[in-house]
Amino acid sequence: MSPSPISVPPPEPGAASTGSGDACPGALRLHMADDGFLARVRIPGGVLSVDQARALAGVAGRLGDGMLHLTSRGNVQLRGLRDGCGAELAGVLGAAGLLPSAAHERVRNVVASPMSGLDGRGFVDVREWLTGLDAGLCASSVTPELSGRFLFGLDDGRGDVAALRPDVLVQGLPSGEAEVFLGEAGVRVPYGRAAEVAVAAAEVFVAAAREASGRVWRVPELDLSAEELTRRLSAHPALTPRGSAPDPAPQTPARLKDRGSAPDPAAQSPQGLDLANPPQRSNVAATALGNLPPWAAGWARRRPVPRNKDVGPGPGARPVVTVPFGAIEPRQWDALTGLAGQLPPRELRLTPWRSVVVPGATPEQIERLAETGLVADPTSPWTRVAACIGRPGCAKSHADVRADATVHLGDAHPTLPTYWSGCERRCGHPAEPYVDIVAQPDGSHTTTVPSVPHHTES
């Protein structure tokens, strides 16, 4: 069911923010760029119905540059928007079900394993988590205080989304349960409780951020230990035993397998989980942290996720195409929505790696999409090369980095992502280690492979 359209009058482009100083653009608060106004439309989990996808294309053509720009969180940016278009834009997005809550529109930053339920690699299907988390976020009176940078991740167990280091991570386990993490600390819960606990974790973060002396937008910026975050999470009403509702029917691997959503865990181990040494249950809550409700299995500590060059949808005959620089032309979007409209799911899934999954598409259908300029070859350098908008769209950029990246495409690193930035801000850079190429004021470029403590979106 599509959310009801919003009825709150939106601010016009350029309206000042009265929030925490977070300048992240949204669909109701637009950003002025050199090529016009910019809107960022949150697409939780990257999931778009065909009708929603066509609505986005229509409004991009009428009000903007006609293109759809994919971000590093699976969202969509509309660029080149004309002045004074805010009300019309909000009306179109609201009617399409893309703005279920005006107060929450910038905080619905949710990435999800894009192949979940399609390829048999995950332990769970994250779709029910996605639906529940989005509804819970929009129902909370606390979560509007989250910044537009705060990130939720739903990982079906393969480790692709966990590698993005989201602030709140829900990760599937071979048992069919989930681990919900706030930063490094978390709790193991039944499948059916995961979305509720993820919202609780976000509310715990908001409460902690209120107490901070400075500006806090993401969990690593909190001056709190994992133990303290665990203690605070244990005190949230969603995790207190008193008054806890009966546990929803758990989803076991067998039940998911019956639905075609997950394989036998013994047959294949998704990356990021060591089945030879599975995570141990540890219910320390009975001592220092207080009692957990009967349905919670125990506390957990976030485990490192090994980097895999095949993050995201990965190689092989899969229903995915890569979009160079995430910039989709109208004819390419028409081809994608036209194909998706012929297939039973009638949806597209946008990924944090600027690619698009077409559920149900055959290898032959994916190959035909390549005729429009989309990339169907999983070994292409385009799967590892990206860049910020650069010149002429951004006044702060020192170069047309997308043109530079295209010229040097053949020089891309064979395994690491290569990211070209027009200035030191590095907008939209990968969350994992990457080849970092930055344009300098004198026209030169610096190249390094740094560690990446934080992540921004573009």
Side-chain angles (χ1 to χ4, degrees):
M1 178 182 298
S2 297
S4 301
I6 62 168
S7 58
V8 178
E12 288 300 313
S17 167
T18 57
S20 61
D22 172 18
C24 285
L28 300 181
R29 187 177 72 182
L30 309 190
H31 169 74
M32 182 61 189
D34 271 23
D35 56 352
F37 285 97
L38 176 153
R40 183 174 296 160
V41 184
R42 268 64 179 188
I43 313 293
V47 177
L48 280 173
S49 71
V50 168
D51 290 341
Q52 289 174 331
R54 288 173 175 160
L56 282 173
V59 77
R62 289 196 307 277
L63 304 179
D65 64 6
M67 300 184 70
L68 296 167
H69 303 263
L70 307 187
T71 78
S72 55
R73 291 182 169 186
N75 293 321
V76 170
Q77 288 187 164
L78 307 176
R79 301 189 66 97
L81 297 170
R82 58 176 170 78
D83 194 4
C85 72
E88 182 178 354
L89 174 62
V92 171
L93 298 178
L98 293 169
L99 286 178
S101 169
H104 298 82
E105 67 99 1
R106 292 193 315 126
V107 305
R108 298 167 66 231
N109 291 304
V110 185
V111 293
S113 297
M115 293 295 293
S116 185
L118 299 179
D119 64 357
R121 289 185 61 197
F123 293 137
V124 299
D125 188 334
V126 302
R127 179 57 66 91
E128 291 182 29
W129 290 347
L130 178 60
T131 302
L133 174 58
D134 194 26
L137 284 176
C138 291
S140 170
S141 62
V142 177
T143 54
E145 295 185 46
L146 293 170
S147 82
R149 306 182 184 193
F150 195 88
L151 181 63
F152 296 86
L154 306 178
D155 191 310
D156 65 4
R158 73 186 70 208
D160 55 350
V161 167
L164 301 179
R165 307 300 299 171
D167 297 283
V168 173
L169 170 66
V170 183
Q171 188 158 21
L173 297 174
S175 63
E177 295 173 300
E179 287 180 333
V180 181
F181 294 95
L182 175 61
E184 299 301 314
V187 61
R188 182 181 296 201
V189 300
Y191 179 98
R193 290 281 184 171
E196 173 191 3
V197 177
V199 174
E203 293 180 342
V204 168
F205 168 83
V206 169
R210 289 171 180 165
E211 301 171 5
S213 57
R215 190 169 55 191
V216 174
W217 288 330
R218 302 200 61 187
V219 171
E221 298 163 9
L222 288 174
D223 188 22
L224 295 175
S225 66
E227 289 74 16
E228 176 61 15
L229 284 176
T230 302
R231 186 190 68 78
R232 294 185 180 210
L233 186 57
S234 72
H236 190 282
L239 280 163
T240 53
R242 186 172 299 170
S244 296
D247 176 32
Q251 293 215 20
T252 65
R255 183 173 301 176
L256 291 173
K257 187 176 180 181
D258 290 341
R259 286 177 13 188
S261 303
D264 178 356
Q268 182 177 13
S269 172
Q271 73 178 77
L273 291 181
D274 181 3
L275 296 187
N277 298 284
Q280 300 297 312
R281 299 189 180 196
S282 57
N283 196 338
V284 296
T287 55
L289 300 174
N291 293 320
L292 284 169
W295 45 264
W299 297 103
R301 181 63 64 88
R302 198 155 163 173
R303 298 173 301 283
V305 177
R307 200 198 72 81
N308 186 326
K309 68 178 181 179
D310 297 326
V311 296
R318 300 189 177 201
V320 60
V321 288
T322 296
V323 182
F325 302 125
I328 305 183
E329 300 173 0
R331 67 189 183 100
Q332 295 171 330
W333 196 249
D334 287 346
L336 285 164
T337 55
L339 175 57
Q342 302 170 22
L343 303 171
R346 289 185 55 82
E347 71 178 26
L348 298 173
R349 299 185 185 183
L350 315 180
T351 85
W353 303 278
R354 296 182 175 91
S355 57
V356 182
V357 176
V358 187
T362 66
E364 294 75 21
Q365 290 171 321
I366 293 297
E367 284 295 332
R368 284 197 289 274
L369 290 175
E371 298 172 4
T372 68
L374 298 170
V375 178
D377 179 5
T379 66
S380 168
W382 281 120
T383 64
R384 305 184 303 279
V385 173
C388 70
I389 194 65
R391 288 183 180 174
C394 178
K396 293 183 173 63
S397 179
H398 302 305
D400 184 347
V401 287
R402 293 191 172 184
D404 295 340
T406 301
V407 169
H408 295 281
L409 182 65
D411 300 327
H413 193 280
T415 56
L416 288 174
T418 298
Y419 196 80
W420 293 70
S421 300
C423 71
E424 294 292 336
R425 295 187 305 161
R426 298 175 173 85
C427 294
H429 67 72
E432 60 176 335
Y434 66 102
V435 177
D436 179 38
I437 303 177
V438 181
Q440 301 300 310
D442 62 1
S444 65
H445 296 79
T446 61
T447 302
T448 55
V449 185
S451 59
V452 185
H454 300 297
H455 177 64
T456 60
E457 178 180 17
S458 72

